Amino acid sequence: MSILNRHPDSANTMHDPLLAWRAEFPILEHATYMISHSLGPMIRRSYVADRESTEIWARRGIRAWEEGWWSMPVTCGDLIGSLIGAPKGRVVMHQNVSICQTIVTSCFDWSGPRNKLITDGLNFPSNDYIYHNLRRQGAQIVPIPSADGMTIPLEAILDGIDERTQLVSISHVAFRSSYLHDLAPIVRRAHDAGAYVIADLYQSAGIVPIDVTKLEVDFATGGSVKWLLGGPGAGYLYVRQDLDSKLQPAATGWAAHAEPFAFMDGPIEYAPDIRRFLNGTPNVPAMYSARSGYEIVNEIGVTAIRAKSKRQTQDLIAQADEASLIVRSPRDPEIRGGTVILDVPNGREVTAELGRRNILVDFRPGAGIRIAPHFYNSDEEITHTISQLKSIVHG
Ligand SMILES: Cc1ncc(COP(=O)(O)O)c(C=O)c1O
């Protein structure tokens, strides 16, 4: 039986119980799927969820809003909350991270003396595009560079934070190298200096355990299409509860009003709770589609997923070393997320050839080929990926 159509047999699932989940993902029957850092595979449950959303619309029409649709940004957010350690009612759904970043940065006055925004040098570009535009309002953007393109020393970030800092932005796991930041000391230093911290959890939630409450981060954001196995259009924003009374996002809309259905003239009177960070009509179908992924990750538990991920990524690195492939991710699993980056000559073309061989990975310029086993991948698939990569690179 070829690696591609191998189904989990009882011997395999006894050795690795998480392989029993493979049956939930149709694409695993015909592809080696190593790209969950980019787009997770579609879940069978999502077909059912999508149908539910359209059937409710068909049967209940306008009544669907008051029967659940209107409150979905918060009820769906609660499913994310339980994955990231947020209390109930502290996460709202939005279309994507870029919108969440825009909402958070719109809470602050960038024209005063506290106008510094620190961004980690491995942050996702979209976040930085938004920050750099804040210079129009007087913000000073201070990137903390990565000398090796892979890691950033904690001290460099801590040294950048001072009494003029308004916001510190950290991508918890770097999309380019899989470097895992230690958030706790950054939050402590920021709070000592009177600054806030926003953590982008897109590359960590669902693969690395995180507790936003324990860490006391002020804001966290992320999306659904990667490790959380949801569809596109379902980003999320966490805000610490005590900030509700302090912050008034300028990027807003009627869903953020205390009484949206009173349709009062402006200015806005913000909702007293997390809803003040909403804007307009929510993306209902995207939330239906994405929920199944959160449910599955919740059912398995991120601790079990992380344990397998550490073992498989360590194994992947060992096989890459044996094949003389250059590793561009931290070797210590404690400071690495779920992806391993391998730097090979002509990485884009090699990635395309892997695709032709039904091995799905991706390439990022300045980084290399990103390979990401998730809980449903078998050890054989890792061996298969590296041996094919080796044969393409070394002939
Ligand atoms: C760390 C990180 N942040 C943000 C994004 C993108 O955010 P969005 O498209 O939801 O704005 C990505 C990847 O697409 C990412 O890897």
Side-chain angles (χ1 to χ4, degrees):
M1 189 186 278
S2 98
I3 183 80
L4 296 183
N5 55 22
R6 179 179 295 215
H7 287 286
D9 53 32
S10 52
N12 264 340
T13 51
M14 218 169 356
H15 158 71
D16 179 356
L18 296 189
L19 292 180
W21 287 97
R22 287 177 71 85
E24 266 291 344
F25 303 94
I27 200 168
L28 300 187
E29 288 167 21
H30 51 86
T32 301
Y33 208 84
M34 293 281 185
I35 192 162
S36 294
H37 56 263
S38 188
L39 178 64
M42 158 99 182
I43 311 172
R44 286 189 200 281
R45 288 186 199 185
S46 293
Y47 286 117
V48 181
D50 288 355
R51 208 174 318 122
E52 191 188 334
S53 135
T54 47
E55 272 178 12
I56 287 174
W57 184 13
R59 273 190 288 107
R60 302 302 297 158
I62 188 78
R63 290 168 293 195
W65 285 119
E66 61 193 42
E67 290 171 359
W69 279 13
W70 186 254
S71 53
M72 265 188 102
V74 179
T75 55
C76 184
D78 282 341
L79 292 173
I80 298 273
S82 67
L83 286 170
I84 63 170
K88 276 213 174 312
R90 293 316 308 164
V91 177
V92 276
M93 303 302 294
H94 279 287
Q95 186 183 341
N96 55 43
V97 168
S98 307
I99 285 178
C100 296
Q101 294 279 356
T102 304
I103 293 167
V104 169
T105 53
S106 82
C107 292
F108 303 110
D109 173 9
W110 297 100
S111 65
R114 199 182 267 280
N115 69 341
K116 240 166 100 170
L117 190 157
I118 310 264
T119 171
D120 90 67
L122 297 169
N123 216 329
F124 193 74
S126 187
N127 298 341
D128 282 338
Y129 301 155
I130 292 159
Y131 304 152
H132 280 277
N133 279 348
L134 294 171
R135 286 184 302 183
R136 298 175 194 170
Q137 297 171 39
Q140 186 197 350
I141 310 304
V142 183
I144 308 294
S146 162
D148 60 1
M150 212 164 54
T151 59
I152 301 182
L154 176 61
E155 282 310 317
I157 296 173
L158 299 184
D159 288 351
I161 301 171
D162 59 19
E163 71 292 342
R164 290 189 43 237
T165 307
Q166 181 70 264
L167 188 63
V168 180
S169 170
I170 304 291
S171 188
H172 190 204
V173 170
F175 81 104
R176 231 184 255 288
S177 67
S178 203
Y179 176 61
L180 172 60
H181 285 272
D182 184 5
L183 286 175
I186 298 173
V187 174
R188 268 197 304 275
R189 174 66 63 93
H191 287 178
D192 286 349
Y196 295 97
V197 173
I198 180 164
D200 181 339
L201 307 182
Y202 217 147
Q203 293 292 353
S204 60
I207 186 81
V208 176
I210 164 118
D211 188 324
V212 291
T213 307
K214 219 184 264 169
L215 282 167
E216 295 182 12
V217 292
D218 304 287
F219 310 96
T221 179
S224 303
V225 298
K226 305 177 195 295
W227 308 99
L228 294 181
L229 314 167
Y236 60 87
L237 174 63
Y238 160 80
V239 184
R240 236 181 58 201
Q241 182 152 17
D242 58 298
L243 300 182
D244 288 350
S245 56
K246 296 187 184 137
L247 300 178
Q248 304 194 330
T252 190
W254 68 294
H257 197 282
E259 291 182 59
F261 294 98
F263 300 103
M264 287 189 264
D265 291 339
I268 186 169
E269 188 189 311
Y270 287 96
D273 49 31
I274 189 72
R275 292 174 298 131
R276 73 202 281 116
F277 297 95
L278 288 171
N279 45 36
T281 307
N283 192 354
V284 172
M287 290 186 277
Y288 269 93
S289 202
R291 276 191 326 194
S292 313
Y294 318 149
E295 284 163 12
I296 287 182
V297 174
N298 263 313
E299 268 172 59
I300 300 172
V302 181
T303 307
I305 294 175
R306 173 70 167 158
K308 176 168 175 177
S309 167
K310 277 189 189 170
R311 179 180 68 71
Q312 286 195 321
T313 49
Q314 210 60 1
D315 186 34
L316 200 160
I317 288 175
Q319 293 191 40
D321 284 341
E322 247 171 63
S324 305
L325 300 166
I326 294 167
V327 176
R328 295 281 300 151
S329 295
R331 286 174 174 275
D332 176 358
E334 298 307 322
I335 57 163
R336 187 180 66 235
T339 310
V340 174
I341 291 87
L342 301 179
D343 189 12
V344 305
N346 306 315
R348 199 180 290 282
E349 290 72 25
V350 173
T351 301
E353 177 55 27
L354 283 169
R356 284 189 284 276
R357 298 182 188 194
N358 251 329
I359 298 172
L360 302 181
V361 296
D362 67 8
F363 170 78
R364 288 289 175 269
I369 297 179
R370 302 191 300 173
I371 306 175
H374 208 353
F375 60 86
Y376 41 74
N377 284 116
S378 65
D379 294 351
E380 289 93 327
E381 285 177 311
I382 290 176
T383 305
H384 178 62
T385 302
I386 297 297
S387 78
Q388 291 299 306
L389 188 51
K390 184 180 167 190
S391 81
I392 297 166
V393 173
H394 300 312

